[in-house]
Amino acid sequence: MKKIAVVGAGISGLSMANYLEKYKIDYHIYERRKKKDMAGHGFLIPKEGLDYLYQIIDSHLLHKKGNFLKKYTQYSHTGKILAEKELDHVFAISRHALIELLAQNISQEKITYEETVIPDELQNGLLKLSNGTIIDADIAIISDGSRSRIRKQLFAEETMNLVRESEVVNIIQNKDIAQAIENDFMKFHHEEGGLTFGILKLSEDSILWYSQFDNQKFSVQECSAGNLRKYMLEVFGSWHPLVSEILMKSDYQNVHVWSVYELEKLHPFYKTNIVFIGDAAHPLIPFTSQGVTSALKDAFILTKYLVEEKNIQQAFSKYETERKPEIETHIHNGRALLNQFLLPLSQQTENIIPISYK
């Protein structure tokens, strides 16, 4: 098997590395950030995603690091129950915990941090390091995120659009609050639409909370921890007491303010010997809750065809053919969920779970 360079040591890149490890395929990962910057917040992973994770992570270890959510409950912002639905093996886990689990099978000698990789303009299909050194690899698997620099350079005509939704995401360590919410996925909605607050229990003493804003109505920008805390309490101070309690007891030093972008249209998933996976191939807006699962499936299916096919282009083509229809379904579902989010509650479809299913 040929040498492979993996660009990006996030969820998709590490998932790819784990699948390559299973088949003893030679690879090296390049990550532009520092190792300590690879933490983050958290994910919802539906059953299908767990099935792919179980192939590369011990299920018992995985279960210890996260929490199964048993029920989705939709509330008005004051706490009136609007809808309830049982969940089938939907798992919540912090990004930090999942990164650690995926990295445990990867030798540190196979990952280079603080190294930016770019295409070489003079040699089609080759990548180079920031110092100009050409990477010795026959295949490059790109997993450098939704705003992929390499994708932008290879597909210069791409258009990234700002989605009409921004998010603030944080994790709070508080055993009393965590125990009070049991194992439910709770989401509070303002009656006028365009403003929600979600709560996911990650463990016995930690929960992830996230707020979603219609960014045409609300200005959510990067700012100091103190100013952001003040802003959040101003917006959500009159909501259900659980929401305001969480916001008051949160530490805002590591809060994540996220502006969401999507591609106007999908590009091919590969070009010459360079192939894209995860968000680098197909950014999905967060309403789908399918980012991790899609990355895992990309890694699994791409590895499958790299093993089965002698011709790289044939392997890439089969990977794209198999994955693109499902991704287009998630993109369609994500946009539909976004449109629902923007509507007043009285106009929204009832019992919508914020997870896209194919």
Side-chain angles (χ1 to χ4, degrees):
M1 175 59 70
K2 297 180 181 296
K3 294 181 180 179
I4 295 177
V6 179
V7 180
I11 300 300
S12 55
L14 290 175
S15 298
M16 189 74 217
N18 274 268
Y19 280 112
L20 294 174
E21 283 281 346
K22 286 187 68 174
Y23 290 93
K24 296 179 171 55
I25 299 173
D26 189 20
Y27 68 91
H28 192 86
I29 304 174
Y30 300 88
E31 170 55 52
R32 67 180 178 85
R33 292 176 292 180
K34 298 178 181 179
K35 184 178 180 180
K36 67 179 182 180
D37 293 336
M38 298 306 294
H41 292 94
F43 310 103
L44 279 178
I45 307 177
K47 183 179 183 300
E48 183 181 27
L50 292 175
D51 290 340
Y52 285 97
L53 269 179
Y54 293 154
Q55 298 183 48
I56 52 178
I57 294 177
D58 182 276
S59 61
H60 298 292
L61 292 178
L62 178 64
H63 296 168
K64 289 179 180 178
K65 295 293 185 178
N67 184 48
F68 281 100
L69 304 175
K70 296 182 178 180
K71 183 174 63 176
Y72 169 65
T73 306
Q74 183 185 46
Y75 298 89
S76 71
H77 79 278
T78 58
K80 177 184 176 183
I81 294 178
L82 304 174
E84 293 180 294
K85 191 170 182 64
E86 297 299 314
L87 296 175
D88 179 22
H89 285 81
V90 174
F91 192 68
I93 188 170
S94 72
R95 187 176 191 275
H96 175 74
L98 187 53
I99 287 281
E100 279 195 337
L101 287 169
L102 289 169
Q104 68 183 2
N105 297 325
I106 310 302
S107 167
Q108 289 305 298
E109 296 176 353
K110 291 188 175 184
I111 306 179
T112 299
Y113 291 98
E114 298 182 71
E115 186 60 80
T116 299
V117 176
I118 58 175
D120 186 275
E121 299 85 354
L122 301 179
Q123 302 188 63
N124 192 30
L126 294 180
L127 299 177
K128 63 182 180 181
L129 303 179
S130 54
N131 64 4
T133 302
I134 298 296
I135 293 177
D136 179 21
D138 304 295
I139 298 170
I141 299 173
I142 310 303
S143 59
D144 58 346
S146 60
R147 305 192 73 180
S148 168
R149 301 179 182 190
I150 295 174
R151 186 190 67 226
K152 176 62 177 176
Q153 288 185 258
L154 293 187
F155 302 104
E157 75 283 2
E158 83 165 26
T159 300
M160 289 285 283
N161 295 324
L162 180 66
V163 174
R164 192 177 161 182
E165 183 245 352
S166 300
E167 296 200 2
V168 175
V169 189
N170 203 359
I171 290 176
I172 178 174
Q173 303 289 332
N174 189 297
K175 190 170 184 178
D176 291 338
I177 295 176
Q179 290 181 342
I181 66 171
E182 299 180 343
N183 291 315
D184 293 347
F185 173 12
M186 308 170 71
K187 194 166 185 181
F188 296 83
H189 299 249
H190 198 280
E191 279 81 350
E192 295 179 5
L195 189 62
T196 66
F197 192 92
I199 303 169
L200 309 173
K201 184 172 179 177
L202 298 176
S203 68
E204 291 184 354
D205 62 358
S206 67
I207 63 171
L208 179 146
W209 63 258
Y210 67 99
S211 51
Q212 298 168 317
F213 299 82
D214 176 349
N215 51 34
Q216 292 186 13
K217 295 181 179 179
F218 302 91
S219 177
V220 184
Q221 301 174 348
E222 295 284 353
C223 55
S224 69
N227 286 341
L228 184 57
R229 182 180 190 276
K230 179 181 177 182
Y231 178 79
M232 295 297 292
L233 288 171
E234 285 176 354
V235 174
F236 294 99
S238 64
W239 287 44
H240 187 273
L242 177 61
V243 175
S244 56
E245 181 184 13
I246 288 172
L247 292 174
M248 290 181 67
K249 293 183 177 179
S250 291
D251 180 354
Y252 289 79
Q253 294 300 320
N254 296 312
V255 70
H256 181 54
V257 182
W258 185 12
S259 295
V260 182
Y261 290 82
E262 67 171 353
L263 282 170
E264 189 170 278
K265 65 176 182 178
L266 287 178
H267 298 298
F269 286 7
Y270 66 96
K271 187 173 184 178
T272 60
N273 68 326
I274 298 175
V275 61
F276 296 84
I277 64 172
D279 287 343
H282 44 71
L284 297 174
I285 63 176
F287 289 101
T288 64
S289 298
Q290 282 287 351
V292 171
T293 298
S294 294
L296 287 162
K297 293 186 74 172
D298 287 353
F300 172 83
I301 291 168
L302 178 57
T303 304
K304 172 177 178 286
Y305 288 125
L306 287 174
V307 171
E308 292 179 356
E309 300 291 335
K310 293 182 179 179
N311 182 283
I312 292 173
Q313 296 301 305
Q314 188 70 15
F316 288 177
S317 178
K318 287 189 173 183
Y319 155 69
E320 181 183 89
T321 299
E322 183 165 343
R323 293 296 295 134
K324 227 172 188 179
E326 182 178 314
I327 293 302
E328 288 172 341
T329 295
H330 290 319
I331 290 173
H332 171 80
N333 290 347
R335 289 171 177 166
L337 288 166
L338 170 62
N339 290 335
Q340 287 288 314
F341 160 75
L342 296 172
L343 292 173
L345 278 179
S346 61
Q347 298 177 30
Q348 293 186 17
T349 303
E350 293 183 359
N351 300 322
I352 285 187
I353 297 179
I355 302 172
S356 166
Y357 290 99
K358 58 186 178 180

